[in-house]
């Protein structure tokens, strides 16, 4: 409901009239919108109006799960070129994303020090990703707690996945899995084993024989870990 009301406000169908000191709305337009739009389409339309960088970060985050680490998103973003990101974006989104950032206010409040550290480039300079992460929160898409982030609702994650071209979705997920496999420290890779293996499996059909052998070993390791976890839960 909150998302729907915000979309009405964004489209100027719901406005606060300071002359009469109350909210006013176009009843016919609102009723028409209720009939013709579901929650998913409202969210997709909302994402159309985000900064292009924010859309790209949502594409990556949606592949990492309902909860994700900001550092993992930033790490992937630094390893994938803008051209590759645009090629993986749904065509209808590419046509509007270039103008989305111009409608956003240039004033962005300061991030907390922990969040700023999570979005700092390797050379120590401020990252351009900070304003996109702030936009996550401002638009009510994600809740950010220092390094941890989660989608407010599973339909938001589903809408973010829709930003990715259906034809490129599996390869995009596989690319993210490969980056995490190469860059995550051993202890973080172990903690994220199921997620990384799941991403790599998406692109298994296009993998080389060597990569398939490696992926088979990782699937075996994930299976053993799942069995151990199940046995531990049963024993408790």
């Amino acid at each position: 409901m909150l998302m729907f009301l915000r979309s009405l406000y964004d489209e100027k169908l719901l406005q606060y009239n300071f002359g009469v000191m109350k909210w006013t709305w176009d009843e016919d337009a609102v009723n028409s919108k209720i009939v013709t739009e579901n929650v998913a389409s409202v969210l997709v339309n909302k994402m159309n109006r985000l900064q292009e960088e924010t859309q790209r970060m949502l594409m990556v985050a949606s592949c990492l799960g309902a909860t994700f680490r900001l550092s993992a998103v930033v790490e992937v973003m630094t390893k994938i070129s803008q051209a590759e990101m645009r090629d993986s974006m749904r065509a209808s989104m590419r046509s509007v994303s270039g103008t989305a950032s111009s409608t956003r206010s240039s004033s962005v409040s300061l991030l907390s020090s922990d969040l700023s550290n999570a979005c700092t480039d390797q050379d120590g300079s401020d990252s351009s990703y900070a304003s996109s992460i702030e936009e996550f929160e401002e638009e009510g898409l994600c809740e950010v707690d220092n390094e941890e982030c989660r989608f407010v609702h599973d339909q938001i994650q589903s809408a973010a996945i829709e930003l990715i071209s259906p034809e490129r979705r599996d390869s995009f997920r596989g690319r993210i899995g490969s980056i995490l496999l190469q860059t995550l420290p051993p202890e973080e890779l172990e903690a994220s084993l199921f997620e990384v293996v799941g991403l790599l499996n998406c692109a298994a059909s296009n993998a080389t024989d060597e990569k398939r052998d490696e992926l088979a070993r990782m699937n075996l390791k994930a299976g053993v870990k799942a069995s151990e976890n199940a046995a531990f839960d049963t024993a408790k």
Side-chain angles (χ1 to χ4, degrees):
M1 178 60 71
L2 179 60
M3 286 291 178
F4 183 71
L5 290 175
R6 291 191 68 159
S7 73
L8 294 179
Y9 180 79
D10 289 342
E11 296 176 29
K12 302 188 185 307
L13 300 179
L14 172 67
Q15 301 183 73
Y16 190 77
N17 188 326
F18 287 95
V20 296
M21 301 296 288
K22 66 179 183 180
W23 289 94
T24 60
W25 55 89
D26 184 332
E27 186 171 351
D28 290 339
V30 171
N31 287 335
S32 176
K33 191 175 181 69
I34 291 173
V35 171
T36 58
E37 290 200 357
N38 56 32
V39 174
S41 63
V42 168
L43 290 170
V44 170
N45 289 336
K46 181 184 187 69
M47 291 176 186
N48 282 347
R49 297 189 289 272
L50 299 176
Q51 299 181 90
E52 184 171 0
E53 196 74 6
T54 304
Q55 293 178 9
R56 293 171 178 172
M57 291 189 74
L58 284 170
M59 287 168 59
V60 173
S62 69
C63 296
L64 300 181
T67 61
F68 53 91
R69 294 177 64 83
L70 293 172
S71 59
V73 175
V74 173
E75 183 66 37
V76 171
M77 294 289 291
T78 61
K79 297 294 189 296
I80 300 182
S81 69
Q82 290 194 5
E84 186 176 354
M85 289 293 294
R86 287 189 66 83
D87 287 344
S88 299
M89 185 178 286
R90 186 184 287 271
S92 59
M93 298 300 298
R94 290 198 297 268
S95 64
V96 299
S97 60
T99 60
S101 60
S102 63
T103 63
R104 175 166 160 80
S105 169
S106 60
S107 60
V108 179
S109 61
L110 294 175
L111 295 169
S112 67
S113 59
D114 288 338
L115 184 54
S116 296
N117 290 338
C119 302
T120 299
D121 292 331
Q122 293 180 351
D123 61 0
S125 61
D126 290 338
S127 170
S128 63
Y129 305 126
S131 64
S132 292
I133 295 170
E134 181 109 338
E135 194 172 20
F136 282 2
E137 290 191 288
E138 288 180 352
E139 297 297 333
L141 301 174
C142 301
E143 291 181 348
V144 181
D145 182 12
N146 295 329
E147 168 65 0
E148 299 295 327
C149 192
R150 76 175 185 87
F151 287 104
V152 173
H153 195 281
D154 57 359
Q155 288 194 1
I156 296 177
Q157 182 188 1
S158 297
I161 291 175
E162 291 300 316
L163 297 175
I164 309 169
S165 168
E167 297 79 12
R168 300 292 298 273
R169 204 164 289 168
D170 285 344
S171 61
F172 187 71
R173 286 169 168 157
R175 179 84 165 96
I176 292 174
S178 296
I179 291 172
L180 296 178
L181 178 62
Q182 295 166 10
T183 60
L184 285 179
E187 63 277 7
E188 288 189 29
L189 180 59
E190 181 65 26
S192 305
L193 181 62
F194 297 138
E195 291 80 4
V196 173
V197 170
L199 289 168
L200 292 171
N201 284 340
C202 290
S205 61
N206 297 321
T208 63
D209 290 342
E210 181 180 356
K211 292 293 184 181
R212 288 184 183 180
D213 289 343
E214 180 183 13
L215 184 55
R217 289 191 292 270
M218 292 187 66
N219 273 281
L220 176 60
K221 183 178 180 180
V224 171
K225 183 177 181 179
S227 297
E228 291 174 348
N229 290 347
F232 177 78
D233 290 340
T234 302
K236 285 197 300 184

